Amino acid sequence: MREALEGSLAIARAVALTKPDVVAAYPITPQTHIVENISKLVADGDMHTEFVSVESEFSAASVVLGAAAAGARAYTASASQGILLMSEVMFNIAGLRVPLVMTIANRAVGGPLSIWNDQSDSMAVRDAGWIQLHCISNQEAVDTTIQAFRIAQETDLPVAVCMDGFVLTHTMEVIDIPSQDEVDAFLPPFEFAGALDTANPRSMGTLVDPNYFPEVRHSHHAAMGKALAKIEEIDEAFAEVIGRASGGLLTVDGPKKAKVGIIAMGSVVGTMMAGREHYGGEVGEARIVKLRSYRPFPAKALRAAVKGLDKVIVIDRAISPGMGGVLGTEVSAVLSTLDKAPKVFNYALGLGGRDIPETMYRDLLTTIEAKDAPRFAVFDADLEKLPPEDR
């Protein structure tokens, strides 16, 4: 059913359709509306789940870890400092291969304190061992949330669905919410072969000495690699039942003859597409690559997506101080194995929620044509706001 919904409410409705057994969460801007709406659905009798209000994000992650380990379908959500507070448990969830789902309402990590959107929170836990799927719109976030529960239980890996805070979570959008019958046809009952059972006692999460720890990491890495095919397979299965797909690992939009590409994740992809529509005739039409799967990283698919390009602009919504862009660094490494690798320009945009207008498309394409174009920059920084020594 198509309805005009705030992104957060739409996610709450999507989670309800998956019939989780346990939801545990602690409120933090801009995630609050998601769990607030879930709690209302539970209170109104429209969602039958054990909703656990906890005292911190560390506890929220701990509760869903225990619930999933006991064989329950579990869900949580968080953002920014909340992600950092639960990061220890996130590593445990993934390392123990416990399948559950979390929404990350992307927000800048302080300090200084910022409640606005960028992707520094999900980037900070990129090596925790979770699948990370990034969404361009609220419709994609709804569909990806439902898919995430099936991906988690078919891979025995936790899945983080990342959506830009405020830009998506607090924005009204006409969204097609699947029916309960459709979701039931797509998502099987929850099963976890490794679930703890009092009738058959065994341990989970015991001490692993150096004789076995490398093998644990090897298996985890291999499972992430196998998840690449599962993400595509489950997106296709979703399309068969619901009638639309979310793009699998990545999508490529734009002319094949283009010589310039833009690689990005999240809502900024939509901004670049709008910018191309308005300014493509002026500065040229770039091929736009929307990365949906950030972990596992779709290296093979990305190499195919940039074939024929001379230059690539990688947009980062986070920064690794002292190095540069997080996504840009990884893209450069992946493309370095190509015989004719495009020249990579990596620009950080919209840090701390700074607005990214459609004109940014024109500005980016114009900049890389200059001989002295920087390979990395905080592109929209206003240097006049800084002391002379920092410009």
Side-chain angles (χ1 to χ4, degrees):
M1 178 183 294
R2 291 173 59 82
E3 300 179 61
L5 297 171
E6 183 197 56
S8 296
L9 174 56
I11 296 302
R13 296 264 294 272
V15 172
L17 289 169
T18 69
K19 300 177 181 177
D21 300 297
V22 177
V23 175
Y26 186 82
I28 181 172
T29 303
Q31 162 263 31
T32 303
H33 288 185
I34 298 174
V35 293
E36 187 178 72
N37 280 298
I38 289 176
S39 69
K40 187 176 187 303
L41 289 170
V42 173
D44 291 344
D46 296 324
M47 181 177 179
H48 303 288
T49 188
E50 184 71 26
F51 186 87
V52 186
S53 296
V54 293
E55 76 283 1
S56 74
E57 289 86 358
F58 185 95
S59 295
S62 299
V63 168
V64 293
L65 166 56
R73 177 171 285 161
Y75 170 84
T76 188
S78 193
S80 188
Q81 261 77 357
I83 295 295
L84 300 192
L85 184 56
M86 66 165 64
S87 62
E88 177 186 347
V89 190
M90 288 183 67
F91 275 81
N92 284 330
I93 290 169
L96 299 177
R97 303 289 304 279
V98 175
L100 58 86
V101 174
M102 172 168 63
T103 300
I104 298 180
N106 287 120
R107 166 187 149 185
V109 173
L113 178 66
S114 172
I115 65 166
W116 292 277
N117 164 244
D118 64 27
Q119 295 169 351
S120 53
D121 48 7
S122 56
M123 294 297 101
V125 292
R126 65 188 181 275
D127 299 326
W130 287 56
I131 291 172
Q132 269 195 34
L133 303 176
H134 287 254
C135 304
I136 184 177
S137 66
N138 284 328
Q139 181 68 71
E140 189 171 296
V142 164
D143 295 347
T144 300
T145 296
I146 296 169
Q147 290 183 33
F149 283 91
R150 182 164 164 180
I151 293 169
Q153 69 188 61
E154 291 194 17
T155 61
D156 285 345
L157 290 166
V159 182
V161 179
C162 303
M163 59 188 299
D164 288 334
F166 293 111
V167 180
L168 295 183
T169 59
H170 287 56
T171 299
M172 294 286 287
E173 184 180 320
V174 176
I175 301 171
D176 185 0
I177 301 290
S179 69
Q180 187 65 69
D181 288 342
E182 288 175 323
V183 174
D184 289 346
F186 166 76
L187 182 63
F190 183 73
E191 291 184 3
F192 175 34
L196 299 175
D197 183 358
T198 55
N200 183 26
R202 59 178 172 175
S203 60
M204 176 185 284
T206 55
L207 177 69
V208 176
D209 68 19
N211 288 316
Y212 290 97
F213 198 84
E215 288 74 25
V216 171
R217 284 291 177 258
H218 171 85
S219 295
H220 193 161
H221 178 65
M224 290 289 277
K226 293 175 183 176
L228 288 165
K230 274 294 179 184
I231 292 167
E232 291 189 300
E233 175 188 314
I234 289 172
D235 190 38
E236 292 170 1
F238 185 86
E240 290 177 6
V241 176
I242 309 298
R244 59 178 175 270
S246 296
L249 302 173
L250 58 78
T251 54
V252 182
D253 186 88
K256 291 184 178 180
K257 64 181 180 179
K259 293 301 180 182
V260 176
I262 296 175
I263 300 171
M265 300 189 300
S267 61
V268 69
V269 175
T271 304
M272 290 299 105
M273 289 179 173
R276 184 182 59 194
E277 182 178 343
H278 287 135
Y279 300 105
E282 178 183 340
V283 295
E285 294 190 8
R287 189 186 306 171
I288 297 175
V289 180
K290 181 200 75 173
L291 275 182
R292 180 174 180 247
S293 176
Y294 176 60
R295 286 291 186 272
F297 197 88
K300 183 178 179 181
L302 183 62
R303 292 187 189 104
V306 303
K307 186 177 181 180
L309 296 178
D310 295 331
K311 299 177 181 178
V312 167
I313 301 167
V314 182
I315 296 176
D316 255 296
R317 301 294 311 285
I319 184 173
S320 177
M323 179 59 194
V326 181
L327 177 60
T329 300
E330 297 183 357
V331 169
S332 295
V334 166
L335 300 188
S336 67
T337 61
L338 293 174
D339 292 334
K340 295 182 179 180
K343 190 174 183 179
V344 177
F345 297 87
N346 181 203
Y347 297 138
L349 300 175
L351 302 181
R354 179 164 291 180
D355 186 46
I356 304 175
E358 294 176 1
T359 53
M360 193 64 72
Y361 173 89
R362 178 193 61 197
D363 296 343
L364 288 167
L365 266 66
T366 300
T367 295
I368 66 169
E369 292 306 313
K371 290 184 178 179
D372 59 349
R375 300 297 289 269
F376 172 78
V378 180
F379 192 81
D380 51 358
D382 184 351
L383 301 184
E384 294 301 317
K385 294 179 179 179
L386 297 171
E389 62 271 21
D390 288 344
R391 295 175 187 172

